[in-house]
């Protein structure tokens, strides 16, 4: 199994920024990106009657162009209260070509696909300083992750992959107490993701084609950092997180290997709506300690200890 890639990116951005310290601070600009990626992959395996696709020479050419106009403004109502508003209008185009050759039979096939998408992302955030050491915030953000085409070596077609569109909400507290050498962060979060992109194992072709469904995740995170001894490089840290993550609308999810109709696999697909997301434990925490001591002018001794835990998760 051998592969190589050659990428030729071009990126340009122009910005205009206002002076700071006024009622409204702003930044605006335009962005241009273009990239061509030429890849070559050679896979050679013993010829098996049920895995003939493993002997392939594949050339894939991907051209991507992205243009955007963006802007963000901070409205400083007072020294303590600030509102941030921002948006980005983008246009993305992609062109993909794939050519395959069977190294045993010398049979060839090819595919070509083009796609484009335009979208608006935005963000709104409110920030308030209760004291110089304690700040509260709340934000809502609409994001975007471009789609494209799955250039999987095992299939002839270039299967389209839709864009990922998350909407996330956050609120929390940021606190720092320099005299106590202590900082603490607490964040509540909720995210709805349309077209969540993931890879799933195809039990027939034994490959990992891209697939997508809706997803939702919510929970909280807490972090603590403390330097208990003044003048010493000794740090204690702790973190705790709770995550409730599950699939939204995902009626066309691929089946697992060996899954039967009695287990929900019908026509090669299953309904995972409401099922837990993979690799997302509900609970996780960590405890750690770091200590460093200089030895002479050129060396330092460092000792680190960490304890971490994750509850059961779907894999």
């Amino acid at each position: 199994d051998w592969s190589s890639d050659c990428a030729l990116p071009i990126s340009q951005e122009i910005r205009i920024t206002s002076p700071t310290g006024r009622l409204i601070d702003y930044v605006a600009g335009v962005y241009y990106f273009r990239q061509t990626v030429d890849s070559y992959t050679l896979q050679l395996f013993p010829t098996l009657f049920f895995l003939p696709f493993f002997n392939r020479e594949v050339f894939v050419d991907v051209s991507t162009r992205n243009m955007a106009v963006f802007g963000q403004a901070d409205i400083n109502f007072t020294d303590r209260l600030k509102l941030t508003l921002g948006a980005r209008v983008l246009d993305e185009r992609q062109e993909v070509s794939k050519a395959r050759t069977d190294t045993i039979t010398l049979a060839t096939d090819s595919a070509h696909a083009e796609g484009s998408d335009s979208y608006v992302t935005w963000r709104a955030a409110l920030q308030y300083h209760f004291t110089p050491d304690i700040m509260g915030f709340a934000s809502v953000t609409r994001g975007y992750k471009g789609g494209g085409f799955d250039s999987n070596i095992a299939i002839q077609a270039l299967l389209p992959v839709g864009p990922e569109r998350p909407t996330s909400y956050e609120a929390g507290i940021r606190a720092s107490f320099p005299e106590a050498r202590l900082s603490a962060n607490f964040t509540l979060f909720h995210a709805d993701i349309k077209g969540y992109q993931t890879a799933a194992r195809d039990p027939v072709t034994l490959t990992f084609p891209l697939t997508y469904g809706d997803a939702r995740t919510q929970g909280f995170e807490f972090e603590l950092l403390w330097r208990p001894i003044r003048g010493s490089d000794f740090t204690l840290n702790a973190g705790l997180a709770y995550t409730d993550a599950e699939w939204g609308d995902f009626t066309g999810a691929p089946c697992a290997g060996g899954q039967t109709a009695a287990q929900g696999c019908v026509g090669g697909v299953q309904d995972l709506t409401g099922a837990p997301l993979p690799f997302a434990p509900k609970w996780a925490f960590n405890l750690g300690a770091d200590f460093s001591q200089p030895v002479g002018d050129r060396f330092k001794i460092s000792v680190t200890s960490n304890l971490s835990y994750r509850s059961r998760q779907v894999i």
Side-chain angles (χ1 to χ4, degrees), residues 60-127:
V60 178
D61 302 322
V62 181
S63 296
T64 303
R65 192 269 293 152
N66 185 297
M67 297 190 302
V69 178
F70 62 89
Q72 179 171 297
D74 292 333
I75 306 174
N76 304 295
F77 295 108
T78 69
D79 292 340
R80 293 187 175 189
L81 181 62
K82 179 173 70 175
L83 174 66
T84 299
L85 299 173
R88 186 181 189 94
V89 182
L90 59 90
D91 181 80
E92 187 172 73
R93 300 181 183 275
Q94 189 175 86
E95 182 176 352
V96 185
S97 297
K98 178 171 67 173
R100 303 191 311 169
T101 300
D102 188 310
T103 59
I104 304 300
T105 66
L106 300 183
T108 62
D109 57 57
S110 62
H112 180 84
E114 299 180 18
S116 63
D117 195 16
S118 298
Y119 199 65
V120 178
T121 63
W122 49 265
R123 179 176 184 265
L126 193 64
Q127 187 179 105

Side-chain angles (χ1 to χ4, degrees), residues 2 51 74 129 214 216 237 284 286:
W2 182 85
L51 295 177
D74 292 333
H129 287 266
D214 296 340
R216 176 193 59 77
N237 61 83
N286 68 276

Side-chain angles (χ1 to χ4, degrees), residues 123-141:
R123 179 176 184 265
L126 193 64
Q127 187 179 105
Y128 183 75
H129 287 266
F130 298 96
T131 72
D133 298 327
I134 302 175
M135 182 268 288
F137 70 93
S139 68
V140 55
T141 305

Side-chain angles (χ1 to χ4, degrees), residues 187-306:
T187 305
L188 292 168
F189 63 88
H190 176 95
D192 293 306
I193 308 170
K194 301 295 184 182
Y196 179 71
Q197 299 172 359
T198 184
R201 184 177 184 272
D202 188 319
V204 177
T205 63
L206 302 182
T207 59
F208 289 82
L210 294 175
T211 185
Y212 46 94
D214 296 340
R216 176 193 59 77
T217 179
Q218 60 187 6
F220 69 83
E221 295 178 343
F222 176 73
E223 299 173 330
L224 190 67
L225 186 68
W226 185 33
R227 295 192 172 209
I229 305 174
R230 186 184 299 274
S232 174
D233 194 1
F234 176 54
T235 304
L236 299 174
N237 61 83
L240 175 67
Y242 171 77
T243 304
D244 177 22
E246 64 181 31
W247 289 109
D249 183 13
F250 199 13
T251 57
C255 296
Q259 187 175 357
T260 65
Q263 297 170 320
C265 181
V266 179
V269 298
Q270 62 176 322
D271 184 1
L272 287 181
T273 303
L277 282 178
F279 307 106
K282 282 191 176 295
W283 290 99
F285 75 80
N286 68 276
L287 297 171
D290 297 282
F291 177 76
S292 295
Q293 177 64 46
V295 179
D297 297 330
R298 300 178 58 187
F299 299 97
K300 179 191 295 185
I301 295 177
S302 297
V303 179
T304 299
S305 176
N306 288 287

